[in-house]
């Protein structure tokens, strides 16, 4: 297959960019290796090499005490439950000042959009992927996720691991450039990109009759970057796309790191209206493309923990089975070192020692080492904010603790994570929602927006634990006021005139994030009240007419001498 001049220039550009990004990443690369060795070995690749036969062998030889891994996992899980929990609402949509908790047609449309987005997240692998991304951010400071369109589940999320990908930032320090190199089997390459788009060597391996060639791996390179750099048209991408993406065969087993010297063309080229990948970072320094993490802060303590754990085990081993010193007379003589055993030595008492004595007389400061290990573990836990996340276990348990109180405690703890959580909101979660909404809208899943908001910008509001706790506290205040008014109304009914009950119910439901369909619109509410008032008026008029009819009948039947009473009233 002959490569076009356009693809050849784009291929040369992409390979050069990837190699340059590899050089810039090296210092982080080395640091990540230490983090992986001591915390998370299976989420890191030192070299992306195909056909490795030892990939399943044990690689956590540096970890003797898993406290660091456990604490990192706890923080990652806490971020899932605190920021994007699959069991609770964590975002709301709004247009201007109108959100999904009100009763207008726009609010009902926003509520339906939220419901569909939550459903997509639940039915896809999004929550599994976001949990892995949080774990990567906590340990390495940087995590990445690709969001692909999927026919079955609308979206499909993929987490590249550290060592596979490269990141670069734009002028606003946003991670917009994403390159990676990863391994795929020949079968997977053909299944994903199509037989006709593959090189001759891949086709040859795929066509081997016994199927053995299909399990062979090659390295595939992948790039995603903004299409607004003025090169899109020259590389064959329409300028209407905000991002461009390309896949190509990077190298085989002969030259896995250097790339292909004779490119066969691209496996796939595509354009996107929104960024198809997201990169999250815990914290950054200046224009660094990669983030800093609690794992980096805790690495020194984790190394100390592993070393002291090893020394403690050695001390215990030497106490239980210590090295021995023996009289030369015992050479080639039997010695009984079993519990309760006695070894007889000539001249033993003459040396001034008691007749019987323990063979072992070695003591090590195991207790002191254990105490120091506990202090190290506490520091690691605090570095990973585990003391902040485990709020419930730090308070005395009572039988009358309310859900509001627990939410307030948890929200107070999450304040300590504020800067990192804000970065996650704007650098990761907003692009995710933008991407998923765009995919669902193109698929026809999102209903048409009301005419009055066509062309308006829809914004995202994240519902954090802190915001939920504050809303719950306000709702409790409203409930208490209404309860007090209800009690006083039994003594003084006029007190109810001071409360706007319609607004109070709307506000109460809004604070509790209830479905806006629970509350009728003001127009429907007024219509119901008007109909009720008209019905009551008609009932009153009917009652008055019936009462007059009965009165007339009674007057007609009353004898007053010269005719009946009705005639007398009418002057008849």
């Amino acid at each position: 297959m002959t490569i076009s001049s356009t693809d050849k220039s784009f291929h040369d550009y992409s390979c050069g960019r990837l190699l340059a990004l590899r050089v810039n990443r090296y210092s982080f690369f080395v640091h990540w290796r230490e983090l992986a060795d001591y915390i998370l070995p299976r989420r890191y690749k030192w070299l992306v090499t195909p056909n490795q036969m030892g990939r399943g062998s044990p690689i956590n030889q540096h970890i003797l005490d898993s406290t660091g891994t456990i604490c990192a996992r706890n923080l990652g899980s806490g971020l899932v439950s605190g920021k994007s929990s699959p069991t609770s609402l964590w975002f709301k949509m709004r247009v201007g000042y109108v959100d999904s908790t009100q009763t207008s047609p726009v609010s009902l449309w926003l509520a339906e959009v939220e419901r569909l987005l939550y459903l997509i997240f639940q039915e896809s692998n999004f929550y599994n992927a976001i949990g892995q991304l949080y774990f990567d951010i906590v340990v390495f400071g940087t995590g990445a996720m690709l969001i692909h369109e999927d026919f079955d589940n609308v979206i499909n999320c993929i987490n590249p691991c550290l060592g596979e990908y490269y990141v670069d930032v734009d002028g606003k320090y946003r991670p917009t450039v994403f390159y990676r190199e990863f391994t795929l089997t020949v079968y997977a390459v053909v299944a994903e990109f199509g037989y006709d788009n593959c090189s001759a060597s891949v086709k040859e391996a795929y066509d081997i009759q016994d199927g053995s060639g299909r399990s062979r791996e090659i390295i595939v390179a992948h790039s995603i970057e903004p299409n607004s750099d003025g090169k899109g048209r020259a590389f064959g991408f329409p300028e209407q796309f905000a991002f461009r993406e390309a896949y190509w065969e990077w190298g085989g087993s002969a030259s896995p790191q250097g790339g292909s010297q004779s490119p066969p063309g691209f496996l796939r080229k595509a354009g996107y209206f929104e960024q198809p990948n997201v990169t999250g970072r815990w914290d950054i320094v200046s224009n660094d493309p990669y983030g800093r993490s609690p794992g980096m802060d805790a690495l020194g303590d984790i190394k100390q923990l592993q070393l002291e754990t090893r020394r403690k085990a050695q001390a215990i081993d030497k106490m239980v089975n210590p090295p021995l010193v023996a009289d030369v007379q015992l050479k080639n003589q039997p010695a009984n070192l079993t519990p309760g055993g006695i070894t007889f030595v000539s001249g033993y008492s003459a040396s001034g020692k008691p007749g019987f004595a323990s063979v072992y007389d070695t003591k090590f400061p195991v207790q002191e080492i254990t105490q120091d290990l506990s202090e190290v573990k506490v520091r690691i836990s605090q570095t990973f904010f585990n003391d902040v996340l485990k709020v419930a276990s730090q308070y005395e348990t009572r039988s009358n603790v309310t859900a509001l109180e627990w939410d307030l405690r948890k929200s107070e703890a999450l304040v300590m994570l504020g800067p990192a959580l804000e970065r996650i909101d704007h650098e990761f979660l907003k692009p995710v929602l933008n991407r998923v909404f765009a995919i669902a809208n193109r698929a026809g899943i999102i209903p048409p927006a009301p005419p009055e908001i066509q062309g308006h910008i829809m914004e995202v509001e994240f519902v954090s634990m802190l915001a939920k706790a504050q809303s719950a506290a306000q709702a409790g205040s409203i409930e208490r006021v209404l309860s007090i008014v209800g009690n006083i109304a039994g003594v003084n009914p006029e007190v109810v005139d001071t409360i706007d009950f319609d607004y109070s119910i709307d506000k109460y439901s809004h604070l509790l994030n209830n479905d806006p369909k629970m509350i009728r619109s003001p127009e429907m509410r007024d219509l119901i009240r008007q109909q009720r008032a008209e019905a009551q008026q008609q009932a009153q008029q009917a009652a008055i007419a019936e009462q007059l009819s009965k009165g007339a009948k009674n007057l007609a039947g009353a004898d007053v001498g010269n005719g009946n009473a009705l005639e007398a009233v009418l002057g008849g």
Side-chain angles (χ1 to χ4, degrees):
M1 182 173 62
T2 304
I3 185 171
S4 66
S5 59
T6 298
D7 283 355
K8 178 64 168 63
S9 62
F10 184 39
H11 181 273
D12 293 342
Y13 165 85
S14 300
C15 290
R17 188 75 188 272
L18 190 151
L19 293 174
L21 289 171
R22 182 189 293 174
V23 173
N24 293 341
R25 191 194 64 175
Y26 183 75
S27 60
F28 293 93
F29 193 53
V30 176
H31 198 176
W32 292 340
R33 183 172 188 175
E34 278 197 296
L35 293 168
D37 285 342
Y38 287 94
I39 304 176
L40 201 58
R42 289 289 175 186
R43 283 295 298 169
Y44 174 78
K45 286 185 178 293
W46 175 244
L47 292 176
V48 179
T49 306
N51 305 304
Q52 287 184 320
M53 298 297 104
R55 66 178 61 183
S57 59
I59 57 176
N60 58 341
Q61 304 300 320
H62 292 81
I63 300 177
L64 299 176
D65 188 305
S66 58
T67 298
T69 305
I70 294 172
C71 290
R73 184 182 61 200
N74 290 342
L75 178 53
S77 300
L79 291 175
V80 172
S81 63
K83 291 302 300 178
S84 49
S85 173
T87 60
S88 63
L89 303 180
W90 51 275
F91 70 89
K92 291 192 300 183
M93 315 299 291
R94 60 185 175 89
V95 177
Y97 294 103
V98 181
D99 62 21
S100 60
T101 62
Q102 300 167 11
T103 56
S104 66
V106 174
S107 295
L108 296 178
W109 180 79
L110 291 173
E112 180 64 12
V113 170
E114 290 175 8
R115 186 189 70 83
L116 292 171
L117 292 179
Y118 280 119
L119 182 62
I120 292 171
F121 290 141
Q122 289 285 356
E123 295 298 324
S124 67
N125 66 334
F126 171 76
Y127 286 112
N128 290 332
I130 198 174
Q132 184 60 67
L133 182 137
Y134 285 144
F135 205 172
D136 288 346
I137 291 177
V138 165
V139 176
F140 301 107
T142 307
M145 186 168 74
L146 303 171
I147 305 176
H148 296 304
E149 298 185 34
D150 184 77
F151 179 79
D152 297 321
N153 299 314
V154 185
I155 63 171
N156 180 51
C157 303
I158 298 175
N159 294 109
C161 72
L162 265 293
E164 284 186 347
Y165 62 84
Y166 311 89
V167 178
D168 206 355
V169 296
D170 61 12
K172 297 181 179 178
Y173 297 173
R174 297 174 301 189
T176 56
V177 177
F178 182 86
Y179 276 66
R180 67 170 175 147
E181 44 186 335
F182 62 104
T183 57
L184 282 179
T185 63
V186 167
Y187 172 78
V189 171
V190 173
E192 177 65 23
F193 304 107
Y195 182 86
D196 294 336
N197 295 321
C198 298
S199 64
S201 60
V202 171
K203 293 178 180 178
E204 181 181 353
Y206 187 82
D207 291 336
I208 295 176
Q209 293 297 319
D210 62 3
S212 59
R214 298 189 177 191
S215 296
R216 200 185 78 192
E217 291 181 334
I218 66 169
I219 296 180
V220 175
H222 179 204
S223 69
I224 298 174
E225 57 188 332
N227 195 39
S228 57
D229 58 355
K231 294 180 176 291
R233 184 177 294 276
F235 293 155
F237 293 91
E239 295 179 351
Q240 63 184 2
F241 293 119
F243 287 84
R244 59 176 181 257
E245 178 188 55
Y247 291 88
W248 68 98
E249 295 177 25
W250 176 249
S253 57
S255 178
Q257 300 301 321
S260 175
Q261 299 301 320
S262 56
F266 286 94
L267 294 169
R268 183 165 67 210
K269 293 169 62 179
Y272 294 94
F273 294 104
E274 67 283 335
Q275 190 171 358
N277 72 290
V278 290
T279 303
R281 299 172 295 177
W282 180 270
D283 197 6
I284 60 172
V285 177
S286 187
N287 66 332
D288 285 349
Y290 305 100
R292 312 289 174 167
S293 70
M296 295 177 179
D297 298 334
L299 184 59
D301 284 324
I302 293 174
K303 285 184 175 181
Q304 179 183 352
L305 179 66
Q306 307 309 323
L307 179 61
E308 285 200 57
T309 299
R310 186 184 299 275
R311 293 289 185 263
K312 178 183 176 181
Q314 291 173 344
I316 294 175
D317 189 39
K318 290 179 179 180
M319 291 175 63
V320 175
N321 188 21
L324 303 176
V325 177
D327 193 292
V328 70
Q329 298 179 14
L330 292 177
K331 188 174 182 180
N332 298 325
Q333 298 298 319
N336 188 351
L337 300 180
T338 60
I342 301 176
T343 299
F344 295 94
V345 181
S346 61
Y348 188 76
S349 298
S351 64
K353 297 183 179 179
F356 288 90
S358 173
V359 174
Y360 299 155
D361 193 22
T362 304
K363 293 183 180 180
F364 293 92
V366 174
Q367 184 175 356
E368 288 79 359
I369 295 176
T370 301
Q371 181 179 354
D372 190 61
L373 285 173
S374 299
E375 295 176 0
V376 174
K377 290 180 180 181
V378 169
R379 290 201 302 269
I380 294 173
S381 177
Q382 292 174 344
T383 304
F384 282 107
F385 298 95
N386 281 198
D387 57 324
V388 171
L389 296 172
K390 296 181 179 180
V391 180
S393 60
Q394 300 181 44
Y395 293 89
E396 182 181 355
T397 303
R398 308 190 312 272
S399 59
N400 61 342
V401 176
T402 63
L404 173 60
E405 184 176 353
W406 284 121
D407 284 344
L408 286 172
R409 289 179 178 179
K410 191 168 185 179
S411 64
E412 181 184 9
L414 290 177
V415 169
M416 304 295 295
L417 298 170
L421 299 185
E422 290 296 325
R423 180 174 300 281
I424 289 172
D425 284 346
H426 299 287
E427 196 169 82
F428 173 67
L429 294 178
K430 274 191 176 180
V432 165
L433 289 168
N434 182 45
R435 170 68 171 158
V436 176
F437 176 85
I439 292 174
N441 192 40
R442 287 193 293 268
I445 297 174
I446 303 297
E452 57 264 37
I453 62 170
Q454 292 284 352
H456 287 66
I457 296 177
M458 186 168 60
E459 299 178 350
V460 179
E461 178 184 350
F462 292 103
V463 186
S464 65
M465 287 297 300
L466 179 59
K468 289 180 181 178
Q470 291 172 339
S471 297
Q474 293 180 40
S477 299
I478 294 175
E479 185 176 353
R480 287 192 296 273
V481 169
L482 295 179
S483 176
I484 293 172
V485 170
N487 294 333
I488 298 176
V491 179
N492 181 12
E494 295 180 355
V495 72
V496 298
D497 298 335
T498 63
I499 299 294
D500 186 341
F501 288 98
D502 292 337
Y503 175 79
S504 299
I505 295 300
D506 287 345
K507 183 68 174 179
Y508 191 81
S509 180
H510 169 77
L511 292 171
L512 296 180
N513 286 313
N514 289 327
D515 190 334
K517 295 179 181 179
M518 285 180 54
I519 308 298
R520 291 190 173 96
S521 66
E523 295 78 12
M524 180 61 68
R525 179 192 62 203
D526 294 341
L527 178 61
I528 293 174
R529 289 177 176 175
Q530 181 181 353
Q531 292 174 346
R532 183 186 300 116
E534 291 175 355
Q536 290 175 350
Q537 185 178 4
Q538 292 174 1
Q540 290 175 356
Q541 291 175 352
I544 293 173
E546 182 180 0
Q547 185 177 2
L548 292 174
S549 176
K550 289 181 178 179
K553 184 178 180 180
N554 293 335
L555 289 174
D559 187 4
V560 293
N562 296 323
N564 56 39
L566 180 59
E567 293 175 345
V569 172
L570 297 176

